[in-house]
Amino acid sequence: MLNIVLFGPPGAGKGTQSERLIEKFGLVHLSTGDMFRMHINENTELGQKVKQIIADGILVDDSITIAMLEFEIDKHPDSKGFIFDGFPRTVAQAEALDKFLNEKNLNISKVLQLDVDENVIKERIALRQKVSGRADDGADKLLKRIDEYFNKTVHVLPYYIAQGKLTTISGVGEIDAISQKLFSAIEN
Ligand code: AMP
């Protein structure tokens, strides 16, 4: 079973590259952001609980996020593998995922980091705001999410470095070229 964690800040191209990896390796895509948005759209109890947190661009509690993800993993017992997109975002989440997979005799195969400099991403957003010529609330929230990534989520990387599982790939350049680098990181 091939279990991949895809890491990277908002705007690094994780969504696009996830699609390529899913197609190539037949993986089930598990995006905690998508799961939360689905709960919000369907106005479930969980959706009501996390709506404001997500609107503010801050992280949802570990316990809520972990329980939701484990529930989704268990829906796919015959999967060839998973791509974890947007999870884990804290060391506690990474530890919980390992524990959950280990209990099923599974593990994380590789962790792929799409590396884009914080300033490059922020410049892209500032440029977009300038072009549109108006204050953009969405962009402010996006900046908050980027801060969360560089202040909190990056601290998960040493956890996977210690396990020898991390490969870092530049997220700047042609989409196809980046996909090829991700494919070879998985296959080698
Ligand atoms: P994303 O689409 O992955 O950027 O996620 C959108 C929002 O959902 C994030 O800004 C967080 O508020 C929340 N979220 C998604 N995944 C997680 C996670 N692993 N831990 C905590 N909050 C999360």
Side-chain angles (χ1 to χ4, degrees):
M1 208 173 170
L2 181 65
N3 294 316
I4 302 292
V5 173
L6 187 61
F7 245 91
K14 264 184 300 154
T16 308
Q17 296 300 343
S18 287
E19 283 171 20
R20 306 279 179 104
L21 294 171
I22 293 157
E23 199 182 321
K24 170 110 178 148
F25 297 104
L27 305 176
V28 171
H29 185 218
L30 293 181
S31 155
T32 41
D34 284 351
M35 291 172 203
F36 284 130
R37 281 183 286 274
M38 193 269 288
H39 279 281
I40 293 169
N41 285 341
E42 294 184 0
N43 202 27
T44 65
E45 202 176 315
L46 175 62
Q48 291 172 13
K49 212 177 202 170
V50 301
K51 193 172 180 176
Q52 193 56 49
I53 299 170
I54 290 185
D56 291 340
I58 54 179
L59 295 186
V60 176
D61 275 359
D62 283 338
S63 57
I64 294 179
T65 310
I66 291 163
M68 178 182 71
L69 180 80
E70 291 180 352
F71 184 76
E72 294 296 326
I73 292 174
D74 279 341
K75 283 187 183 168
H76 305 276
D78 301 325
S79 159
K80 283 162 114 180
F82 295 101
I83 177 155
F84 297 98
D85 170 1
F87 187 100
R89 270 167 149 105
T90 64
V91 173
Q93 291 181 10
E95 288 170 348
L97 181 59
D98 271 351
K99 186 164 172 279
F100 188 73
L101 292 176
N102 290 342
E103 281 165 5
K104 299 172 190 294
N105 287 322
L106 301 173
N107 65 3
I108 294 295
S109 319
K110 293 255 162 95
V111 178
L112 306 175
Q113 179 196 13
L114 277 179
D115 186 33
V116 184
D117 188 76
E118 182 170 4
N119 292 328
V120 171
I121 291 194
K122 288 190 168 171
E123 275 166 22
R124 279 186 202 160
I125 294 167
L127 190 71
R128 212 189 296 160
Q129 264 182 310
K130 212 168 151 191
V131 171
S132 72
R134 62 189 159 85
D136 181 345
D137 188 45
D140 288 346
K141 295 286 157 57
L142 187 54
L143 288 174
K144 179 71 198 153
R145 285 168 56 211
I146 291 166
D147 280 341
E148 289 281 278
Y149 178 82
F150 286 102
N151 290 330
K152 293 187 183 161
T153 305
V154 289
H155 298 304
V156 180
L157 295 175
Y159 178 86
Y160 288 117
I161 292 170
Q163 295 186 1
K165 289 185 178 166
L166 183 76
T167 304
T168 299
I169 285 155
S170 172
V172 181
E174 289 286 324
I175 292 174
D176 284 346
I178 297 168
S179 301
Q180 287 307 323
K181 285 184 197 155
L182 292 170
F183 295 167
S184 50
I186 291 173
E187 283 165 337
N188 294 318

